[in-house]
């Protein structure tokens, strides 16, 4: 039977440092294996899926992938048969199935990764798209809407309207 009583951290670290294979060693080995599997899966997927997908777990022949939203889930399902056969042939011969789940937390991480690449392109001058701007007409519409809104929303709309004529790169720098 598994001992589920609380243990001190000292005893956990002592068992690892003593050459003994303790619970922390098992967790570390599992994490390393999942990271390697994640790298292998990303190597088999198209590059546009990389920021939006990751390996969540592998147990009893079932690989569990997480993705940011339903649109990326559909894209992964399209790649699923190819991924399944490639993983069986190269890494996991005992792989029975791939389960794909949505994890909204990946959307934020994927956005950071993608925006980081966009910021690099913008800073290096390789961006082909002009920066987006809020027109004066849109700003006037926002001001009109703000005059008929509750106070909290009014302040937000007025702040947004004040950005008319500025590029988005300036606004993203103000947020940071």
């Amino acid at each position: 039977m598994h001992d589920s009583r609380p243990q001190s951290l000292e005893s956990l670290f002592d068992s690892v440092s003593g050459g003994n294979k303790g619970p922390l060693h098992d967790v570390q080995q599992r994490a390393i294996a999942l990271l390697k599997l994640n790298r292998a899966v990303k190597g088999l997927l198209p590059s546009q899926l990389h920021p939006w997908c990751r390996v969540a777990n592998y147990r009893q022949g079932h690989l569990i992938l997480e993705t940011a939203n339903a649109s990326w889930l559909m894209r992964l399902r399209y790649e699923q048969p190819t991924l399944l056969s490639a993983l069986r042939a190269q890494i996991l011969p005992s792989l029975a199935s791939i389960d794909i789940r949505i994890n909204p937390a990946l959307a934020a991480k994927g956005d950071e990764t993608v925006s980081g690449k966009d910021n690099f392109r913008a800073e290096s001058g390789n961006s082909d798209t002009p920066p987006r701007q809020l027109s004066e007409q849109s700003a006037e519409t926002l001001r009109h809407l703000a005059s008929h809104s509750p106070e909290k929303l009014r302040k937000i709309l007025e702040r947004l309207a004040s950005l008319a004529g500025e590029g988005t790169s300036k606004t993203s720098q103000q947020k940071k």
Side-chain angles (χ1 to χ4, degrees):
M1 177 147 237
H2 186 2
D3 184 19
S4 61
R5 285 178 279 146
Q7 297 177 3
S8 73
L9 285 177
E10 274 183 29
S11 67
L12 293 175
F13 285 117
D14 288 344
S15 65
V16 172
S17 64
N20 232 344
K21 299 214 182 227
L24 287 181
H25 180 72
D26 296 341
V27 170
Q28 181 185 24
Q29 293 305 314
R30 178 85 172 147
I32 290 170
L34 287 175
L35 284 172
K36 287 180 181 178
L37 186 56
N38 191 44
R39 272 189 239 116
V41 166
K42 286 188 177 190
L44 296 169
L45 290 173
S47 62
Q48 61 265 34
L49 279 169
H50 292 182
W52 311 106
C53 171
R54 75 173 172 206
V55 171
N57 203 357
Y58 175 73
R59 66 173 168 249
Q60 300 171 349
H62 299 284
L63 178 64
I64 300 170
L65 300 178
E66 290 180 331
T67 189
N69 56 38
S71 64
W72 291 112
L73 176 111
M74 292 306 296
R75 181 70 192 269
L76 266 172
R77 282 202 178 138
Y78 178 76
E79 300 289 336
Q80 189 172 357
T82 308
L83 183 62
L84 183 64
S85 61
L87 286 172
R88 279 181 183 158
Q90 297 175 12
I91 302 166
L92 299 168
S94 62
L95 182 62
S97 67
I98 297 176
D99 184 21
I100 306 169
R101 298 179 182 171
I102 295 175
N103 180 354
L106 278 178
K109 290 181 182 177
D111 283 339
E112 288 172 6
T113 305
V114 171
S115 67
K117 291 177 184 175
D118 290 343
N119 287 342
F120 176 76
R121 271 188 253 139
E123 289 170 5
S124 62
N126 295 337
S127 179
D128 295 335
T129 59
R132 296 179 297 177
Q133 293 184 349
L134 181 65
S135 69
E136 279 301 324
Q137 182 181 4
S138 297
E140 191 57 41
T141 304
L142 287 172
R143 285 186 194 101
H144 178 70
L145 182 62
S147 67
H148 302 295
S149 299
E151 184 179 341
K152 188 175 180 182
L153 180 59
R154 178 180 50 82
K155 288 180 180 179
I156 293 169
L157 290 172
E158 286 173 349
R159 191 175 68 204
L160 181 61
S162 70
L163 299 175
E166 295 182 14
T168 55
S169 59
K170 291 180 185 176
T171 58
S172 63
Q173 289 173 355
Q174 290 173 354
K175 287 181 187 175
K176 294 178 184 176

